[in-house]
Amino acid sequence: MKTKNARRFEGALGEKLPQTEVLNKNSADFSFCAPAKMFDKMQRENLNAVKSVAKAKKAITAAAELTAETYLNGNKIIFAGAGTSGRLGVLEAAECPPTFSVGYDVFDTLMAGGKSAVFKAVEGAEDDFNLGARDFKKKAKSGDILIAIAASGRTPYALGALRAAKERGNKTVFVSCSDTADTSNADIFVYLPTGAEVISGSTRLKAATATKCALNMITTMAMALSGKVYKNLMVDVKASNVKLKDRAARLIAKAAGIEKEEAVALAQKTRYNVKAAIVMAKLKVGFGKAQALLKESGGFLDKIINE
C-alpha cells in the first residue's frame, strides 16, 4: 500500500515513473537472501530481460535494415547515450570494425561527458539536452544514422541528440526500456520491456542486458545484409593478431572445403583477405581476379559463389 509521502515522491518525478525506476516486488528481500538465493533471483530476471527483446522484433529488424542502407550508402552509424547506455554504444562501435573489417570511422559514438565518462561518471553531463544536440551536429553529416540509447527514455543528452538529428533530416533509432520514453524524434522506437530492476533503478542490470542484445542484433544483421557475413561465417574479419589469423585460415578452409594447410597458404598469399582466398579456392582463379569479382559483387560472396 502506498503512503501519502510515497505518492508525493512519485508525483515529483513525473506523472508516471519509467519502468526501470519502479520497485521490483520479486527482489524486495534481496539483501536478506543467501548468495544462492540472490543468484536465483538475478538469473530469473536476466532471463526475463532477454525474453523482452523478442517483443521488439519488428523494430529491431527495421533498425537493422536502415543501418545496412546507411552503411551501403557510405555513411556513418552514430550511437549516443549517457552512463551505461552510452558505454554500450561505445562497446558496439569498438567491436564492429575488427569483426566486420570496416573503418573505425564507420561506427561512431556520442558519450555524454566525452571519452573520460566511459571510465568515470561525469556529473551532470547526461542532463544537458543542448550538449547532446551540439555533439551530434559536430559529429554527423547528411545521410548518417543516429541510434540513441536511454534505458529510462528520458535522458536529456540522448533526447537532445535525437532532436538535432531529426531537425537535420538524419534517420533516427531510439532504444529504450521504458514505455514513457519521448519518441517524438525517433523514426524507429526499439522498446525493450524489461520491467523493474533487481536493484531498483540500476539499469546496468536487466536494461543493459536487453540493450546489448538489441544492439548486437542491429549491427550483426546490418553487416550481414551488407555482405560482411557468408552463411554464418565472419568472412570480413580483420586478422590483426595470431588468434584472428588462425580463425581466418579456418574460415577459408570451412567455406572453400579445403584442408587447413592449403587455407593457411591462401591466407598468407592474400594477406588474410578471407573473401578473396575463398573465391580463389572455389573458382580456381588468381588473387587479382578474385578481387575484381568481389568489387563487382559489392563484396557479397553469395553473388559469386552459388551454393
Side-chain angles (χ1 to χ4, degrees), residues 236-252:
D236 254 336
V237 63
K238 186 175 182 180
S240 56
N241 57 42
V242 173
K243 179 189 74 173
L244 294 178
K245 286 179 179 179
D246 180 67
R247 179 182 296 167
R250 285 187 281 108
L251 288 169
I252 295 166

PDB file of all heavy atoms in Angstrom, residues 236-252:
ATOM      1  N   ASP A 236      34.667 -11.285 -43.196  1.00  0.00           N
ATOM      2  CA  ASP A 236      35.344  -9.992 -43.316  1.00  0.00           C
ATOM      3  C   ASP A 236      36.150  -9.667 -42.060  1.00  0.00           C
ATOM      4  O   ASP A 236      36.457  -8.499 -41.801  1.00  0.00           O
ATOM      5  CB  ASP A 236      34.342  -8.878 -43.597  1.00  0.00           C
ATOM      6  CG  ASP A 236      34.400  -8.408 -45.043  1.00  0.00           C
ATOM      7  OD1 ASP A 236      35.454  -8.594 -45.680  1.00  0.00           O
ATOM      8  OD2 ASP A 236      33.410  -7.866 -45.549  1.00  0.00           O
ATOM      9  N   VAL A 237      36.498 -10.693 -41.304  1.00  0.00           N
ATOM     10  CA  VAL A 237      37.264 -10.480 -40.083  1.00  0.00           C
ATOM     11  C   VAL A 237      38.602  -9.818 -40.411  1.00  0.00           C
ATOM     12  O   VAL A 237      39.229 -10.108 -41.431  1.00  0.00           O
ATOM     13  CB  VAL A 237      37.508 -11.819 -39.336  1.00  0.00           C
ATOM     14  CG1 VAL A 237      38.350 -12.779 -40.169  1.00  0.00           C
ATOM     15  CG2 VAL A 237      38.166 -11.567 -37.980  1.00  0.00           C
ATOM     16  N   LYS A 238      39.017  -8.902 -39.554  1.00  0.00           N
ATOM     17  CA  LYS A 238      40.317  -8.250 -39.704  1.00  0.00           C
ATOM     18  C   LYS A 238      41.329  -9.039 -38.887  1.00  0.00           C
ATOM     19  O   LYS A 238      41.326  -8.990 -37.657  1.00  0.00           O
ATOM     20  CB  LYS A 238      40.238  -6.802 -39.219  1.00  0.00           C
ATOM     21  CG  LYS A 238      41.506  -6.003 -39.477  1.00  0.00           C
ATOM     22  CD  LYS A 238      41.309  -4.554 -39.077  1.00  0.00           C
ATOM     23  CE  LYS A 238      42.549  -3.737 -39.375  1.00  0.00           C
ATOM     24  NZ  LYS A 238      42.362  -2.312 -38.993  1.00  0.00           N
ATOM     25  N   ALA A 239      42.200  -9.765 -39.565  1.00  0.00           N
ATOM     26  CA  ALA A 239      43.150 -10.667 -38.879  1.00  0.00           C
ATOM     27  C   ALA A 239      44.328  -9.867 -38.338  1.00  0.00           C
ATOM     28  O   ALA A 239      45.413  -9.827 -38.932  1.00  0.00           O
ATOM     29  CB  ALA A 239      43.617 -11.748 -39.833  1.00  0.00           C
ATOM     30  N   SER A 240      44.136  -9.259 -37.187  1.00  0.00           N
ATOM     31  CA  SER A 240      45.138  -8.350 -36.630  1.00  0.00           C
ATOM     32  C   SER A 240      46.017  -8.980 -35.558  1.00  0.00           C
ATOM     33  O   SER A 240      46.911  -8.327 -35.021  1.00  0.00           O
ATOM     34  CB  SER A 240      44.433  -7.119 -36.047  1.00  0.00           C
ATOM     35  OG  SER A 240      43.462  -7.509 -35.091  1.00  0.00           O
ATOM     36  N   ASN A 241      45.780 -10.249 -35.236  1.00  0.00           N
ATOM     37  CA  ASN A 241      46.633 -10.930 -34.250  1.00  0.00           C
ATOM     38  C   ASN A 241      46.672 -12.426 -34.567  1.00  0.00           C
ATOM     39  O   ASN A 241      46.006 -12.902 -35.496  1.00  0.00           O
ATOM     40  CB  ASN A 241      46.137 -10.668 -32.821  1.00  0.00           C
ATOM     41  CG  ASN A 241      44.697 -11.096 -32.617  1.00  0.00           C
ATOM     42  OD1 ASN A 241      44.267 -12.159 -33.080  1.00  0.00           O
ATOM     43  ND2 ASN A 241      43.924 -10.276 -31.909  1.00  0.00           N
ATOM     44  N   VAL A 242      47.449 -13.159 -33.808  1.00  0.00           N
ATOM     45  CA  VAL A 242      47.650 -14.588 -34.069  1.00  0.00           C
ATOM     46  C   VAL A 242      46.333 -15.357 -34.007  1.00  0.00           C
ATOM     47  O   VAL A 242      46.054 -16.202 -34.871  1.00  0.00           O
ATOM     48  CB  VAL A 242      48.659 -15.184 -33.058  1.00  0.00           C
ATOM     49  CG1 VAL A 242      48.735 -16.701 -33.222  1.00  0.00           C
ATOM     50  CG2 VAL A 242      50.035 -14.567 -33.266  1.00  0.00           C
ATOM     51  N   LYS A 243      45.520 -15.072 -33.014  1.00  0.00           N
ATOM     52  CA  LYS A 243      44.237 -15.764 -32.868  1.00  0.00           C
ATOM     53  C   LYS A 243      43.357 -15.540 -34.093  1.00  0.00           C
ATOM     54  O   LYS A 243      42.754 -16.478 -34.623  1.00  0.00           O
ATOM     55  CB  LYS A 243      43.509 -15.268 -31.612  1.00  0.00           C
ATOM     56  CG  LYS A 243      42.150 -15.920 -31.393  1.00  0.00           C
ATOM     57  CD  LYS A 243      41.366 -15.249 -30.266  1.00  0.00           C
ATOM     58  CE  LYS A 243      40.811 -13.911 -30.699  1.00  0.00           C
ATOM     59  NZ  LYS A 243      39.912 -13.314 -29.681  1.00  0.00           N
ATOM     60  N   LEU A 244      43.292 -14.286 -34.544  1.00  0.00           N
ATOM     61  CA  LEU A 244      42.422 -13.968 -35.675  1.00  0.00           C
ATOM     62  C   LEU A 244      42.986 -14.480 -37.001  1.00  0.00           C
ATOM     63  O   LEU A 244      42.232 -14.801 -37.919  1.00  0.00           O
ATOM     64  CB  LEU A 244      42.180 -12.465 -35.739  1.00  0.00           C
ATOM     65  CG  LEU A 244      41.370 -11.891 -34.559  1.00  0.00           C
ATOM     66  CD1 LEU A 244      41.229 -10.379 -34.686  1.00  0.00           C
ATOM     67  CD2 LEU A 244      40.000 -12.548 -34.467  1.00  0.00           C
ATOM     68  N   LYS A 245      44.296 -14.577 -37.102  1.00  0.00           N
ATOM     69  CA  LYS A 245      44.892 -15.165 -38.308  1.00  0.00           C
ATOM     70  C   LYS A 245      44.543 -16.647 -38.392  1.00  0.00           C
ATOM     71  O   LYS A 245      44.249 -17.173 -39.476  1.00  0.00           O
ATOM     72  CB  LYS A 245      46.401 -14.962 -38.300  1.00  0.00           C
ATOM     73  CG  LYS A 245      46.829 -13.526 -38.596  1.00  0.00           C
ATOM     74  CD  LYS A 245      48.336 -13.364 -38.548  1.00  0.00           C
ATOM     75  CE  LYS A 245      48.717 -11.917 -38.881  1.00  0.00           C
ATOM     76  NZ  LYS A 245      50.183 -11.696 -38.818  1.00  0.00           N
ATOM     77  N   ASP A 246      44.581 -17.311 -37.254  1.00  0.00           N
ATOM     78  CA  ASP A 246      44.209 -18.722 -37.228  1.00  0.00           C
ATOM     79  C   ASP A 246      42.723 -18.877 -37.562  1.00  0.00           C
ATOM     80  O   ASP A 246      42.337 -19.787 -38.296  1.00  0.00           O
ATOM     81  CB  ASP A 246      44.498 -19.308 -35.845  1.00  0.00           C
ATOM     82  CG  ASP A 246      44.119 -20.784 -35.759  1.00  0.00           C
ATOM     83  OD1 ASP A 246      44.763 -21.601 -36.442  1.00  0.00           O
ATOM     84  OD2 ASP A 246      43.173 -21.105 -35.007  1.00  0.00           O
ATOM     85  N   ARG A 247      41.893 -17.973 -37.035  1.00  0.00           N
ATOM     86  CA  ARG A 247      40.463 -18.025 -37.343  1.00  0.00           C
ATOM     87  C   ARG A 247      40.232 -17.796 -38.829  1.00  0.00           C
ATOM     88  O   ARG A 247      39.404 -18.464 -39.448  1.00  0.00           O
ATOM     89  CB  ARG A 247      39.706 -16.968 -36.537  1.00  0.00           C
ATOM     90  CG  ARG A 247      38.208 -16.949 -36.819  1.00  0.00           C
ATOM     91  CD  ARG A 247      37.507 -15.861 -36.036  1.00  0.00           C
ATOM     92  NE  ARG A 247      37.593 -16.075 -34.610  1.00  0.00           N
ATOM     93  CZ  ARG A 247      37.277 -15.156 -33.691  1.00  0.00           C
ATOM     94  NH1 ARG A 247      36.870 -13.964 -34.071  1.00  0.00           N
ATOM     95  NH2 ARG A 247      37.390 -15.433 -32.408  1.00  0.00           N
ATOM     96  N   ALA A 248      40.974 -16.860 -39.425  1.00  0.00           N
ATOM     97  CA  ALA A 248      40.832 -16.574 -40.853  1.00  0.00           C
ATOM     98  C   ALA A 248      41.119 -17.820 -41.680  1.00  0.00           C
ATOM     99  O   ALA A 248      40.380 -18.144 -42.620  1.00  0.00           O
ATOM    100  CB  ALA A 248      41.771 -15.440 -41.251  1.00  0.00           C
ATOM    101  N   ALA A 249      42.177 -18.541 -41.325  1.00  0.00           N
ATOM    102  CA  ALA A 249      42.527 -19.761 -42.066  1.00  0.00           C
ATOM    103  C   ALA A 249      41.435 -20.809 -41.918  1.00  0.00           C
ATOM    104  O   ALA A 249      41.086 -21.511 -42.883  1.00  0.00           O
ATOM    105  CB  ALA A 249      43.864 -20.294 -41.568  1.00  0.00           C
ATOM    106  N   ARG A 250      40.880 -20.927 -40.717  1.00  0.00           N
ATOM    107  CA  ARG A 250      39.810 -21.903 -40.502  1.00  0.00           C
ATOM    108  C   ARG A 250      38.553 -21.526 -41.281  1.00  0.00           C
ATOM    109  O   ARG A 250      37.847 -22.395 -41.789  1.00  0.00           O
ATOM    110  CB  ARG A 250      39.509 -22.020 -39.007  1.00  0.00           C
ATOM    111  CG  ARG A 250      40.567 -22.813 -38.237  1.00  0.00           C
ATOM    112  CD  ARG A 250      40.184 -23.069 -36.796  1.00  0.00           C
ATOM    113  NE  ARG A 250      40.405 -21.905 -35.949  1.00  0.00           N
ATOM    114  CZ  ARG A 250      39.460 -21.141 -35.436  1.00  0.00           C
ATOM    115  NH1 ARG A 250      38.180 -21.406 -35.684  1.00  0.00           N
ATOM    116  NH2 ARG A 250      39.753 -20.108 -34.661  1.00  0.00           N
ATOM    117  N   LEU A 251      38.265 -20.231 -41.371  1.00  0.00           N
ATOM    118  CA  LEU A 251      37.113 -19.762 -42.141  1.00  0.00           C
ATOM    119  C   LEU A 251      37.287 -20.096 -43.625  1.00  0.00           C
ATOM    120  O   LEU A 251      36.341 -20.532 -44.292  1.00  0.00           O
ATOM    121  CB  LEU A 251      36.950 -18.254 -41.964  1.00  0.00           C
ATOM    122  CG  LEU A 251      36.440 -17.765 -40.604  1.00  0.00           C
ATOM    123  CD1 LEU A 251      36.597 -16.249 -40.496  1.00  0.00           C
ATOM    124  CD2 LEU A 251      34.984 -18.159 -40.401  1.00  0.00           C
ATOM    125  N   ILE A 252      38.485 -19.889 -44.121  1.00  0.00           N
ATOM    126  CA  ILE A 252      38.762 -20.186 -45.528  1.00  0.00           C
ATOM    127  C   ILE A 252      38.590 -21.681 -45.788  1.00  0.00           C
ATOM    128  O   ILE A 252      37.946 -22.091 -46.768  1.00  0.00           O
ATOM    129  CB  ILE A 252      40.196 -19.742 -45.906  1.00  0.00           C
ATOM    130  CG1 ILE A 252      40.309 -18.217 -45.814  1.00  0.00           C
ATOM    131  CG2 ILE A 252      40.560 -20.223 -47.316  1.00  0.00           C
ATOM    132  CD1 ILE A 252      41.730 -17.694 -45.839  1.00  0.00           C
TER     133      ILE A 252
END
